[in-house]
Amino acid sequence: GAVVSQHPSWVICKSGTSVKIECRSLDFQATTMFWYRQFPKQSLMLMATSNEGSKATYEQGVEKDKFLINHASLTLSTLTVTSAHPEDSSFYICSARDPMTNGYTFGSGTRLTVV
Amino acid sequence: GQNIDQPTEMTATEGAIVQINCTYQTSGFNGLFWYQQHAGEAPTFLSYNVLDGLEEKGRFSSFLSRSKGYSYLLLKELQMKDSASYLCAAPTAGTALIFGKGTTLSVSS
C-alpha cells in the first residue's frame, strides 16, 4: 500500500528558531498533501492543504506566514514552523490520499517541542 | 460547514462489546472513516463506509446511515490493546479529512 514517510520523528528547538518537517510519498505521486496539528488529548486539526506547484490552502486561524508550506515536487511537501514559540509545541502529522484506493495514508508524525 | 460529534470517553472491560457512535453534518457526502490512534502515534485506518449498512471486518464493524447522518464503530471481544482513541472522520469537498474530537476508550481487565 501507499507509504508516507515523515521526518523528523521528534525535534526540540529553541524559541525564535525555525523547524522544517518533511513529508514524502514513497511509492506514489501526491499532488495534494494535508498537514494536521494535534495537541495532547485532542483530535487532529487540519492546518492546511498542500498543493504541488501552487500555494497551500490554509484553514481559518492558521497563520500562513508562520507555517510555511512548500510542495515543490509530486513526492515531497514540507512544513516550516518559523519563529517557533512554546505554544507551537505539538504533534504534527501529514497525510496523502492513496490514488489506488482513495484511502488516506498518514506519516508517522513529528513531535515538536519548543523550549 | 462540517461538524462531527462523538463521545469523549468510554470505558469497557476485556471481552465485552462496545459501540462508539458518531453523528455528522457535511456539505456533500464522500464517505465516513474510522481510525484508531494510540498516544503519540499516527492514526491507523479501521474502516470506510460510503453505503448504508454494516461492514464487518474481524472484531471491528462499522455501520452507516446516511439519512440519519449517523455511524457507529462496534468493537467485539475487547482486548487491553484496544485501549486507544477512535476517530470518526469525513472528507471535505476539498478532499481533506476532517476529524471528530475522538473517543478515548479505556479497556480494563
Side-chain angles (χ1 to χ4, degrees):
Chain A
V3 176
V4 170
S5 175
Q6 184 173 344
H7 293 282
S9 298
W10 59 271
V11 58
I12 302 173
C13 71
K14 292 184 178 180
S15 287
T17 61
S18 296
V19 172
K20 181 186 284 188
I21 301 170
E22 292 189 348
C23 183
R24 294 181 185 272
S25 56
L26 295 187
D27 49 4
F28 67 103
Q29 294 182 334
T31 55
T32 303
M33 290 188 179
F34 310 101
W35 287 95
Y36 295 86
R37 177 168 55 181
Q38 185 175 34
F39 292 108
K41 298 187 185 294
Q42 295 186 23
S43 189
L44 281 75
M45 296 297 296
L46 179 67
M47 298 176 67
T49 299
S50 170
N51 304 299
E52 188 270 334
S54 64
K55 292 182 180 180
T57 305
Y58 289 82
E59 295 299 301
Q60 193 171 9
V62 178
E63 300 173 58
K64 57 184 176 183
D65 293 333
K66 179 170 183 62
F67 298 99
L68 300 181
I69 290 173
N70 184 280
H71 195 152
S73 79
L74 287 170
T75 59
L76 175 64
S77 176
T78 60
L79 169 68
T80 301
V81 183
T82 63
S83 187
H85 289 102
E87 56 264 33
D88 298 325
S89 298
S90 187
F91 192 51
Y92 292 87
I93 309 176
C94 66
S95 174
R97 201 154 196 191
D98 181 352
M100 297 295 290
T101 66
N102 265 336
Y104 292 82
T105 299
F106 290 84
S108 54
T110 299
R111 171 73 58 194
L112 170 64
T113 302
V114 185
V115 297
Chain B
Q2 196 140 328
N3 189 46
I4 300 175
D5 281 320
Q6 52 182 127
T8 306
E9 294 181 341
M10 297 185 74
T11 58
T13 53
E14 269 189 304
I17 300 173
V18 71
Q19 177 175 313
I20 303 175
N21 297 322
C22 170
T23 57
Y24 64 89
Q25 294 170 310
T26 57
S27 48
F29 182 73
N30 294 291
L32 197 92
F33 291 80
W34 283 96
Y35 284 84
Q36 180 192 60
Q37 187 183 29
H38 285 99
E41 299 179 10
T44 55
F45 172 79
L46 291 177
S47 69
Y48 172 62
N49 294 69
V50 65
L51 299 176
D52 288 352
L54 186 68
E55 296 261 352
E56 297 188 72
K57 194 186 295 184
R59 293 190 300 115
F60 292 7
S61 303
S62 56
F63 171 84
L64 175 69
S65 169
R66 288 173 296 173
S67 62
K68 296 181 179 178
Y70 169 68
S71 173
Y72 68 71
L73 180 69
L74 192 70
L75 293 77
K76 303 176 188 175
E77 300 169 18
L78 280 174
Q79 303 174 9
M80 297 292 283
K81 67 178 182 179
D82 297 328
S83 293
S85 287
Y86 291 86
L87 308 171
C88 179
T92 64
T95 76
L97 262 187
I98 300 298
F99 289 85
K101 294 193 189 309
T103 300
T104 300
L105 173 66
S106 299
V107 180
S108 58
S109 56

